Each structure stands twice: as C-alpha cells, then as structure tokens.
Amino acid sequence: MKNGHKSYRSFINDISKLAKKINTDKWNAGKQEMASLLGGISAFWSIWNERENKIPIILHPVQIFTLFRVLGVDTGKFSDKILPWSSHLKNHLAEVETGGGKSLILGMLTTVLVLLGAKVNCACYSAYLSKRDKNSFDKFWKQFGFKVGVTQESDITYSTLKDLANILLNERGNIRELSKSFVEKKKSQKQEGTEGKRLRVLLIDEVDVFFSEDFCGKTYNPACKFKGEEEYNLLKHIWDARGGNPNIHTIKASKAYQKMKAKYSDFEWLLEFNLPKIISALKEFKSHKYSVKTNPDTGESLIAYREHGRETTSRWCGYMTDFAYMEQVDLKVISSQVALTRVGITMTCGHFSYANIPNKYFDAILGVTGTLKDMPKHEKDVVENDYNVKSTTLTPSIYRLQGYDLFKKEADTILESGRMNHWQKLAVLIGKAVDSHRCVLVFFDTNDDICDFTQTSYGKDIETKLQPHTVTEKTPNKDRHIQLAMKQGAVTYFPRVFGRGLDFQCLDKEVEDNGGVLVIQTFFSLSKSEEKQIQGRTARQGKSGSYKLLLCAEVVAGKLGLTLEELKKAAASNTLYSTLNSVREYLSSKQSGKRKEDIKKASELDKVSYETIDILQNGKGVSGSQSATIGRNLKTLNSPRNAFHFVFCLDSSGSMHVDDANGVTPWKQLMKAYNDFMQNLCGMRSGDWVTVILFSSGAQTLFSEDSQVCRSKTFSHIYGGTDFGPAIQHADDAIKAIPENFTPILLFLSDGEGDNEQAIEALHKYDDRGLQVNTIFFGTDNGAEILRAMAGKFGSSGQFHLSINEVQLTQTFQSILPVEITSSVTEYGE
C-alpha cells in the first residue's frame, strides 16, 4: 500500500461494499461477511496506525471475540426471509478486564455500526475520558467520511451522560428556544426535516455509572432565560435595593416590575413563582461560592461552577448566579453588556429522568465494563428487566491466566486507629515502595483528604524526600502527569474520580523487576466496582503490581455504621474485608429501594416534560387545545416542588461541649455541619421548613420557620443529661403544627446513650405523610446501638448514620437531602 490518503481509498471502498451487502443480505449468509467486515476494519486499523502513528495495533483474539458476541454474530437463526442484520442485534453487555482495551473495542464497535448504517452515541461518565477516546479515533473515522460531533447529522457522538441528555432532547428543535418562543408569543422557526429512520445504538462505557447517585433517580432540568432590558432592569433594581431588604410587595410596586407584568400578561405566574426565589437568593447571596472563567480566545468572562470533574458555565444555581453577575459587574470584572446577555427570569422547560433516556431514544444498548460480575444483584435485575439486557459476556484475560489474584483481601486490607496513625502508615508504605525502586499511586476519597495528608508531618516528609505530584480535575496536561507517574520512584496522589479510565502503562523495566506499580487506596468504597477499578490501575496488561487497602477505623466505622469494637473484632479474627464487604452489600441493597422510589418520582414529571416538548417540536405549529396543554404543563413544571420539613433534634448535653485533642468541641463541629447543610439547602431552592430542637435532660424548640429565614439563625447550647423523650415530644408537636403537604424528615443526633428512646414510636402516626427518620451517632464511644435500634423501628423509612467528625457529619447531612432537592439545579444553555 502506498503512502497518502488516496492509497486507502480502495481498501475503504471494499469495506464499505461489504457492509452494504450485509445490510441487504440474508442474515445466515451475512454472518460470514460480518467476520470478513470485522477482519477488514481490524486490518485497516492496524495498517493506518502503523503508517500514521508509527504504532501497529493488532486486535487480540479476545477483543475480536468480544466484538462478535456484542454484535450478535453467533445468535441469528437461519431463515428464508430477507432480514437486515439489525433484526438480530440485541442489547448486550460485555465485561473486559481493566487494561483489556475497552476503548479500542468501543471504537471498533462504533466503526462497524456506522458502516452498517447506524447512528451511534457513546456515553461515558467523564468528560476528560470521553474526549480522549474520541480523539484517538477521530482521524481514523475521517478516512471513512464519518461525521463526528453533536449535531443531528452526526454519525458518531461521544459525550458524558448529561451532555447526551442535552443532545437528544434538542435534536428535533431547541427546547429552550421553543419554550421561550411560546411564552413570548413568537412564531417558532419551522423545524428542519429530520433524516430518515436510522438504527440508533447507545454504547456505554462502564455500565455501573448509570447507577451512581449523580444520575440514578435524578433529572436533567433544562431552563431558559427571558433576557432583555426589562428583565435586567428588574433584577438590577432588586440587587441595588438589597440594603433595604426588598420584599414581594415593594418589588411589585416598582416600575420595573410593572413593565415586566405587562410584558408577560398571560404568564404572570412565571413572575409570581420567581419572586420568592429571587428574594431568597438575594438574602443569602453572601455565602454563595462561584468562580469566574475567562475564555482565552475571546476574553469574555462568565460565572462558572465545578461539576463532574470540570468547570462549567452552563450550570445555573438559581438567581444566585444572576446576582453573581451583578456583583462582578459592580467589581468591573464582567461587563454590563455581557451580563445583559446572561441574566434574566428563569423558566424550567422540563424535568427529564436520566433513567428513562436509554429506552426512549435507542434501538439497542451495547456496552463494555470492567465490573459486570461485581454488580450487586439488584443492579443486575435493573439491567435485565428495566433495560432488557438479557445477553452478557464475561471475557477471559488478554494477558494472564485466569485465577490471578491481585488483591489478597484480608492480608492486603490494613486498619489503623486514628487519622494520624492512618497517615503515618501511608507514609511508611510509600517509603518502602520507593526504597524498593517501585512507583506509587495513592487514591484518596476527596481533594480535602489529599490536603489533610500533605499538611501532616508525614506528608511533609514525603514532600521533602520524594517530591510527589498531585493530579486533580484542575490539573492541566493530565496525560503528561500520568506518564511521569510510571517512572521509578514517582509518587502521585489522585482523588477517587481518577480511579477508573486512566491508562497507566509502566514501561520502566526497573519498576517491573521490583514488583511493579503499587496502588494504595486510602478509603473504603461503597461501590465494589469502584474498588475493582482502582485496583485495575496496577498490574495492567500482564505486568506486575500490587494493591493495598489502607483504612482509618474511625472513618470507615462512620461510613458503614459500624462500631470500633466491631471493626477491631473483625480485624483480630482476620475477617475484616469480608465483614466490610457484607455491610457494603447490605447498604447497597437497602439503597436500591430508595433509588427505585426516586426513579418513580422522576418519571412523573418526565411524562409531563415529554408531552410538552413533543408538541413544541412537532414542526406543525401549536393548536388552541395544545396551547392550553403547554401552558398548563409549563406551570406544573415550574410550580414549587414537594416541600419538606426538616426537624433537627440536637443533643446539647454536657459531653457535646468537651474539647477534643485539637481544642474543638463536638458542638462547634455540629454547628459547622448544620450551617453547611443550610447553605446547600437554601442555595438550591426555597419553600421548605426547618425546626431546631435542642435537648439534654429536657428540650426546647429554638425555632420553626421557613428554611430561608432559618439559614441565618445562630443558637447557643444548653447543658444537662441525656433524655430522648422530651425531644421526641417536641418533634411530634412541630410536625403536627405544619401543613400535611410538608414531608417530615427527622434528623435525631446524639453522642451517647439516652433515656426513653422508645418514645420515638409515637411518630409512626406520620408514616402516611412520608415520614423519614434519620438517627445520627456523632462520636466514637458507646451509644450507637440505641440510635441504630430507633431507626430500625421505621423499616425502609429509617436510616442510622455514624459520623466521627465534622467532615463525615457534613457528608451525612448532605446525604439526607431528598432527590427532589438535589435534582433541582437547572441547566442553562443556548
């Protein structure tokens, strides 16, 4: 074959002709051609890579076998009917070991499917990995003339799950612009004719991500903004009046509001629904956290937020974001001209359930994952029954004999008591590995944990001697850092988000000869698949390597709701890992019930949302009856969501005010976690209710008010013994006093045992209002069992939590927020 693009043409033409024949031939004949097609594509891939990248990449037989299985080459029955190959394509998932070439398999699958006439969307959890995988095939696909992008005409789209939702929802027309045009009574542009029906295939990179808390039961909430001088002037009037505490009445009396009322005469509900949100955002804006992102090409600065490992300017945190623009205009960082094009009155265009997207838009669901057999049973049931994936494949290893066990579960699980001992042990493990001429990858739960370790004397000692690198979502040129991490003596820190997908290739012979890459995981994953993925960052492609699971007893006890005594007993009997894994499986199974309920709730608004956009996107205009339907639906989608009543029963007995080793009392830590909770709650929405009850030997209700009013409340403690009875009675009275449309959520926190715990059974009278009971043990001493039993009296509506410090308590409070609240963040876009 000659060098140059033209020399490829005859090869590509032969492949394309074969694909066309398969599309029209009988399937029992097409099976043979399918093997030839895969062979031709694989050969061309290898030749093209050798000539263009100087690297010959030859598919392994296991990878080819996986392609055959996923494409259903082995399943079609002989028939006299002329059937296209696609009639035999079934939903299918295959497990490929980490380092086994999942990205290559997905790229080959995409090539085959598009040649056979399909339209392919490849969805990944990470924007960085999605872009990396697309770029690795981009030039190859151009040889075939494939269209790669995010438009309706694209043959191939690589994206995150959230971006995929936006792409799909806007294919038949921009739902934000169509919704705006309807309200503004503008004639929407006629939609362009859509292409003929094509087989549409969803390729999934790591299927377990669909079950993550970021997507399972959550909704995609596109929102439009009505922008213009009237809208800008109204918000500026409110912003400028912030020192005088403007209220609904004073705002409605303003000229700026009257102009808006005239403009939206048929949709005054839009203004009515937005005013409380605007006022709440104004009151609490001082605590709002955001950043300013400047486009290096245009110099334009916009408000940005960090989400899913990247900084985005499309996320809109209610009117907090509008006031962020106002603040930056005052500071002369952002121009008023830019702000005029960004701020305005927001309208939600829909609440679309992520869980419903695969079945609604795709003819087939195919995918590869490294953790298929590690999925919990309830997740496997969802995949099989809800997504109709009846066919799966477990592939053998490409590089080593089956039975190789990287992780000796009990021997490689290390438990240390106390955070400082935990960090000291980490430093020892790192030092020993480097002394043995290896390299080390350390995975932390959060970026804060990385900072926590590096600020200790042990972390500083490692810094001085070994100069470790830290890679986070903000780190530029990540690929370069990944290469450097594989050098002898290198030590690299990562947050957990990088525990999957990154391709660590160790080519250092000295490292390999001395045991390979050491991976240390410093936290316990609630997802076994995440744990396996982190393990898969070492011993890749048949290389040597080892893995250690290094745990802090107090942290893992809090995460799993175990006592320190239970952990120590398991460690002493050499059953620590099996004990932790059993609790993980139990918690995962329990969580599945909540996720199903979340999906059910999301589906209710999902149905209303699709009814609306189906009318707006039909390209035929809107009739009178349809107009009424859209108006009613938009009002429903923008109406205040289910309201919640958060009832805090907080232990203020004497033990809560004893200084710890750092001179900080549990009470101070509790106040910090409470304030963070209120900031999160009020930053996302308004309209909820909060009651705070303090108790010791007696109890008192400090306040019971609207959540936005409570956000800025401060309160002092009381002293005494610990009696749960009076606090529960106060909680009963508080719930009784609030209208039944508020769902009560009890947060009962104590640091020890108390009397009259049986009194909590009186709250069963509120079960029909959806009462949720959360008992929280805050500390490490005795008393957890009583609180655990209290939560257990309420079955699936009761949840016990154990938190040993401020960080864990903050995480616990955040986890209690219902999905209706955590899904309320809207997505603004053009």
Side-chain angles (χ1 to χ4, degrees):
M1 181 182 289
K2 298 179 180 179
N3 291 325
H5 176 76
K6 292 183 179 179
S7 64
Y8 297 145
R9 183 50 50 198
S10 61
F11 207 151
I12 293 172
N13 286 340
D14 289 342
I15 293 173
S16 299
K17 287 177 183 178
L18 189 54
K20 186 175 182 180
K21 176 177 173 59
I22 293 173
N23 244 350
T24 58
D25 209 348
K26 292 182 180 179
W27 179 241
N28 56 359
K31 279 185 178 184
Q32 305 303 318
E33 282 87 7
M34 182 66 87
S36 299
L37 177 64
L38 283 169
I41 295 172
S42 300
F44 181 55
W45 167 253
S46 181
I47 293 169
W48 181 84
N49 264 287
E50 184 173 15
R51 292 186 178 275
E52 301 295 327
N53 301 320
K54 312 303 181 186
I55 304 174
I57 302 177
I58 302 174
L59 268 69
H60 190 279
V62 169
Q63 294 169 332
I64 295 173
F65 165 76
T66 304
L67 290 167
F68 278 7
R69 283 284 296 158
V70 173
L71 289 167
V73 175
D74 60 332
T75 60
K77 295 181 179 179
F78 288 91
S79 172
D80 292 330
K81 297 180 180 179
I82 303 296
L83 295 173
W85 71 276
S86 58
S87 64
H88 296 280
L89 186 65
K90 307 299 181 184
N91 294 348
H92 193 112
L93 296 174
E95 177 176 287
V96 177
E97 69 167 359
T98 54
K102 289 189 291 293
S103 298
L104 175 57
I105 292 171
L106 285 171
M108 288 291 107
L109 270 175
T110 299
T111 307
V112 173
L113 291 166
V114 176
L115 279 169
L116 292 173
K119 187 180 179 74
V120 177
N121 291 89
C122 187
C124 179
Y125 67 95
S126 163
Y128 164 71
L129 295 176
S130 180
K131 182 178 180 180
R132 181 201 68 182
D133 291 348
K134 181 189 79 69
N135 289 344
S136 66
F137 273 89
D138 230 345
K139 293 180 180 179
F140 177 72
W141 286 328
K142 285 181 180 179
Q143 304 300 317
F144 292 91
F146 296 164
K147 297 176 182 177
V148 183
V150 296
T151 66
Q152 183 178 331
E153 293 75 25
S154 299
D155 301 306
I156 302 166
T157 299
Y158 270 55
S159 66
T160 62
L161 293 172
K162 189 177 78 171
D163 289 341
L164 174 63
N166 187 59
I167 292 165
L168 295 173
L169 290 167
N170 287 289
E171 279 188 334
R172 294 188 298 132
N174 188 308
I175 59 176
R176 296 175 176 89
E177 291 303 320
L178 290 170
S179 299
K180 280 179 63 179
S181 296
F182 174 81
V183 172
E184 294 173 339
K185 300 179 182 179
K186 293 179 181 178
K187 187 175 181 180
S188 58
Q189 293 184 352
K190 184 178 179 181
Q191 301 301 307
E192 297 296 329
T194 58
E195 60 183 335
K197 173 66 176 176
R198 294 174 67 183
L199 181 78
R200 186 153 208 166
V201 181
L202 174 63
L203 294 187
I204 300 174
D205 185 356
E206 298 298 349
V207 67
D208 58 285
V209 177
F210 266 124
F211 299 96
S212 71
E213 61 182 16
D214 290 331
F215 297 100
C216 189
K218 300 294 180 66
T219 55
Y220 179 72
N221 310 308
C224 62
K225 296 189 78 69
F226 296 92
K227 297 172 286 189
E229 289 189 10
E230 294 92 342
E231 290 81 1
Y232 182 87
N233 289 337
L234 175 61
L235 289 169
K236 188 176 188 305
H237 166 77
I238 297 171
W239 171 252
D240 291 342
R242 62 190 182 279
N245 295 318
N247 57 46
I248 290 177
H249 300 295
T250 59
I251 293 172
K252 283 188 172 183
S254 68
K255 291 182 179 180
Y257 182 86
Q258 293 302 316
K259 289 183 178 181
M260 285 287 289
K261 182 178 177 180
K263 183 175 183 178
Y264 297 100
S265 56
D266 292 339
F267 295 91
E268 191 176 352
W269 57 261
L270 182 60
L271 303 179
E272 296 278 358
F273 287 168
N274 275 282
L275 277 184
K277 300 176 185 177
I278 295 171
I279 294 171
S280 295
L282 184 68
K283 288 180 178 179
E284 305 305 327
F285 177 74
K286 286 184 179 179
S287 59
H288 186 56
K289 297 179 180 179
Y290 65 92
S291 60
V292 177
K293 183 179 181 180
T294 302
N295 186 316
D297 297 323
T298 65
E300 183 180 73
S301 297
L302 300 174
I303 302 301
Y305 301 93
R306 182 153 293 279
E307 182 179 65
H308 304 313
R310 62 175 178 170
E311 204 169 48
T312 176
T313 58
S314 68
R315 179 175 174 178
W316 211 261
C317 294
Y319 288 98
M320 294 284 195
T321 307
D322 293 82
F323 290 134
Y325 274 101
M326 294 292 181
E327 181 175 58
Q328 293 302 316
V329 169
D330 286 351
L331 295 172
K332 302 188 184 305
V333 174
I334 294 178
S335 69
S336 58
Q337 289 81 6
V338 169
L340 184 64
T341 66
R342 301 293 290 181
V343 306
I345 301 301
T346 302
M347 182 180 75
T348 300
C349 306
H351 300 288
F352 300 92
S353 172
Y354 284 110
N356 293 342
I357 285 176
N359 288 333
K360 185 171 184 67
Y361 286 94
F362 294 96
D363 302 296
I365 301 171
L366 309 176
V368 293
T369 180
T371 56
L372 189 59
K373 61 176 174 287
D374 291 309
M375 288 177 63
K377 182 180 182 302
H378 62 271
E379 292 186 2
K380 290 180 180 178
D381 290 341
V382 170
V383 168
E384 182 174 342
N385 300 319
D386 294 357
Y387 295 117
N388 196 34
V389 181
K390 309 289 186 182
S391 181
T392 59
T393 299
L394 301 178
T395 65
S397 171
I398 292 176
Y399 301 104
R400 58 172 66 93
L401 295 175
Q402 294 298 298
Y404 176 84
D405 188 9
L406 166 71
F407 179 37
K408 312 299 189 295
K409 295 180 174 59
E410 302 300 341
D412 289 336
T413 301
I414 305 167
L415 185 70
E416 293 291 337
S417 181
R419 197 57 147 169
M420 292 305 291
N421 289 334
H422 181 229
W423 293 144
Q424 181 184 30
K425 185 64 174 181
L426 174 59
V428 170
L429 292 174
I430 292 172
K432 286 183 177 180
V434 173
D435 287 344
S436 299
H437 305 285
R438 303 174 67 186
C439 57
V440 186
L441 308 178
V442 186
F443 289 90
F444 295 81
D445 192 6
T446 65
N447 289 331
D448 288 341
D449 284 346
I450 298 177
C451 293
D452 188 14
F453 171 65
T454 57
Q455 290 172 8
T456 65
S457 59
Y458 311 111
K460 291 177 180 178
D461 188 49
I462 294 292
E463 175 72 31
T464 300
K465 295 178 180 178
L466 305 177
Q467 293 81 50
H469 292 277
T470 297
V471 177
T472 69
E473 296 92 334
K474 295 183 178 180
T475 302
N477 197 7
K478 296 181 181 65
D479 292 338
R480 176 62 177 161
H481 284 279
I482 291 168
Q483 292 174 0
L484 293 174
M486 294 292 96
K487 301 294 184 181
Q488 185 271 320
V491 178
T492 313
Y493 305 147
F494 299 90
R496 68 192 303 167
V497 69
F498 291 107
R500 61 171 80 226
L502 296 186
D503 189 10
F504 294 96
Q505 296 187 33
C506 184
L507 304 178
D508 192 315
K509 188 176 185 300
E510 186 174 7
V511 172
E512 176 66 15
D513 291 343
N514 286 285
V517 179
L518 170 63
V519 164
I520 305 173
Q521 181 175 339
T522 65
F523 63 96
F524 188 73
S525 298
L526 291 181
S527 165
K528 190 174 182 179
S529 62
E530 179 185 51
E531 179 185 288
K532 185 174 180 179
Q533 288 285 350
I534 292 174
Q535 292 171 12
R537 297 316 100 195
T538 185
R540 297 173 68 82
Q541 301 178 352
K543 303 279 187 176
S544 300
S546 57
Y547 165 88
K548 300 291 182 183
L549 181 59
L550 175 62
L551 304 175
C552 173
E554 288 78 8
V555 173
V556 76
K559 180 177 284 190
L560 299 184
L562 295 169
T563 64
L564 292 178
E565 289 73 18
E566 288 171 327
L567 286 176
K568 291 175 182 177
K569 182 179 178 180
S573 60
N574 201 35
T575 59
L576 177 60
Y577 181 83
S578 59
T579 299
L580 299 179
N581 189 51
S582 296
V583 176
R584 173 168 58 192
E585 290 176 352
Y586 166 76
L587 293 176
S588 177
S589 177
K590 188 174 182 180
Q591 185 69 12
S592 70
K594 181 178 183 300
R595 295 275 168 85
K596 287 180 180 179
E597 185 62 29
D598 291 343
I599 291 173
K600 182 179 178 181
K601 291 178 181 178
S603 294
E604 295 170 0
L605 287 175
D606 181 81
K607 182 178 180 181
V608 176
S609 302
Y610 277 111
E611 181 183 36
T612 303
I613 68 167
D614 285 345
I615 297 173
L616 290 172
Q617 292 179 332
N618 65 17
K620 301 176 182 178
V622 179
S623 66
S625 61
Q626 289 176 327
S627 180
T629 298
I630 296 174
R632 181 176 64 251
N633 287 354
L634 287 175
K635 187 174 181 179
T636 297
L637 294 169
N638 285 271
S639 297
R641 308 283 292 277
N642 294 340
F644 293 93
H645 180 194
F646 295 95
V647 183
F648 286 88
C649 289
L650 305 177
D651 185 347
S652 185
S653 59
S655 58
M656 287 290 290
H657 310 288
V658 177
D659 289 348
D660 63 13
N662 297 317
V664 180
T665 66
W667 184 258
K668 289 180 180 178
Q669 296 181 64
L670 168 58
M671 289 299 95
K672 179 65 166 58
Y674 168 81
N675 289 328
D676 286 346
F677 173 87
M678 292 304 300
Q679 178 178 323
N680 287 333
L681 172 63
C682 298
M684 289 185 279
R685 64 183 233 164
S686 58
D688 298 305
W689 202 263
V690 174
T691 297
V692 171
I693 300 162
L694 302 188
F695 70 91
S696 55
S697 53
Q700 66 178 100
T701 299
L702 295 188
F703 50 83
S704 187
E705 298 179 273
D706 180 271
S707 58
Q708 295 291 343
V709 176
C710 296
R711 178 174 186 170
S712 56
K713 292 277 188 179
T714 58
F715 44 93
S716 59
H717 49 75
I718 58 178
Y719 290 90
T722 308
D723 189 341
F724 294 165
I728 294 169
Q729 182 59 56
H730 276 248
D732 191 340
D733 295 341
I735 297 172
K736 189 187 306 178
I738 302 303
E740 294 188 1
N741 62 306
F742 284 82
T743 301
I745 299 178
L746 177 67
L747 297 91
F748 195 99
L749 179 146
S750 178
D751 69 339
E753 297 179 350
D755 299 325
N756 297 313
E757 72 276 2
Q758 68 278 1
I760 200 167
E761 294 185 11
L763 300 184
H764 274 300
K765 66 170 72 78
Y766 303 112
D767 287 348
D768 60 349
R769 286 170 59 174
L771 171 69
Q772 301 171 32
V773 174
N774 296 273
T775 60
I776 306 163
F777 182 75
F778 187 38
T780 58
D781 296 327
N782 295 329
E785 292 307 318
I786 290 178
L787 289 167
R788 194 199 306 269
M790 290 168 65
K793 294 179 183 297
F794 291 84
S796 60
S797 297
Q799 181 71 48
F800 168 73
H801 310 266
L802 193 154
S803 301
I804 67 166
N805 55 33
E806 175 193 313
V807 173
Q808 284 195 4
L809 186 58
T810 299
Q811 293 172 346
T812 293
F813 282 170
Q814 181 65 23
S815 72
I816 292 171
L817 284 171
V819 69
E820 290 89 342
I821 293 177
T822 55
S823 279
S824 63
V825 175
T826 54
E827 299 294 336
Y828 170 74
E830 300 302 332

